Amino acid sequence: PFNVNPSLAPKNTHIFHKSCHDRSCLGMTNDADVAVLSDKDTKESTTSLQFVGSFTHKSEPAPLPGNGKDINDFFSQKEKSRVLLEGSGGNLVAPIENPTSVIRQRWEKEAKFMGSAPPSSDDNMYMVTTTGVKFPGIKMNSIATIGTKLILSGDYPEYQATMAMDETKPEGLRPLVWIVNKLT
């Protein structure tokens, strides 16, 4: 067991310590790291308790699966880019099977502007409808046309998602929808 030097604690404090054979059980390295319960000088009697600790664990590397597949094979599946675009908010994602040349040119232009790799014929495009933003009487939906490109030239696969076009569609009370359409 270890003992705490009471002279390290501020005036009017209560020192709490745990008996153990090794300070590592509390994550402590010296007497100053001991948890201290302090009385504040206020009209009401208040106390606070602070615990300090840290823990680090290193494991052995996990073995690669025996089926011969690696992370690049996993991300090369067309379904994975769609799942990434769905996110956790319930976005609706629909593939665009034959994008028009206008949409492809817009994707190329935006990719160049953003410093992304240019799209190829193997890359996929999706129409992503977000869950929208709700206001009293109206909901604003965002519909984005996004191109995805998988880059496999590095230690890890990289997905590049480039928004080629977007559109806002209001839903709700007809007068509010009409006003939004006139203003946008």
Side-chain angles (χ1 to χ4, degrees):
F2 64 90
N3 293 317
V4 176
N5 182 350
S7 65
L8 295 175
K11 184 180 173 189
N12 296 329
T13 62
H14 308 283
I15 300 172
F16 287 79
H17 60 88
K18 180 178 178 181
S19 293
C20 61
H21 298 290
D22 184 345
R23 288 173 184 240
S24 65
C25 69
L26 292 176
M28 297 179 186
T29 56
N30 60 45
D31 290 338
D33 287 338
V34 173
V36 176
L37 182 65
S38 302
D39 288 329
K40 307 276 186 202
D41 293 328
T42 62
K43 290 184 180 181
E44 293 183 19
S45 177
T46 61
T47 59
S48 65
L49 181 62
Q50 178 182 10
F51 292 97
V52 178
S54 64
F55 177 75
T56 303
H57 177 75
K58 291 185 180 180
S59 67
E60 295 296 320
L64 292 173
N67 60 9
K69 293 187 175 187
D70 63 9
I71 194 167
N72 289 346
D73 293 331
F74 176 81
F75 282 105
S76 294
Q77 299 170 18
K78 185 176 180 179
E79 179 70 13
K80 301 309 180 212
S81 60
R82 188 188 64 75
V83 170
L84 290 171
L85 293 174
E86 279 180 355
S88 63
N91 294 338
L92 300 175
V93 180
I96 301 174
E97 297 301 330
N98 295 312
T100 65
S101 61
V102 171
I103 294 173
R104 277 240 176 241
Q105 288 171 356
R106 181 72 186 262
W107 181 8
E108 289 173 14
K109 178 183 168 189
E110 293 298 325
K112 183 177 182 180
F113 177 76
M114 296 304 297
S116 300
S120 68
S121 59
D122 295 334
D123 298 328
N124 302 308
M125 293 198 82
Y126 298 93
M127 179 120 1
V128 180
T129 305
T130 64
T131 54
V133 179
K134 295 178 183 177
F135 298 99
I138 196 164
K139 178 180 173 186
M140 301 299 291
N141 292 314
S142 175
I143 302 167
T145 303
I146 298 176
T148 61
K149 180 171 192 64
L150 177 62
I151 309 290
L152 298 173
S153 62
D155 292 338
Y156 300 101
E158 171 188 346
Y159 264 113
Q160 293 181 350
T162 305
M163 184 168 65
M165 304 171 88
D166 71 324
E167 177 183 4
T168 303
K169 284 198 172 181
E171 285 180 8
L173 299 173
R174 290 174 113 192
L176 293 176
V177 171
W178 181 82
I179 291 171
V180 168
N181 285 335
K182 289 296 181 187
L183 294 176
T184 57

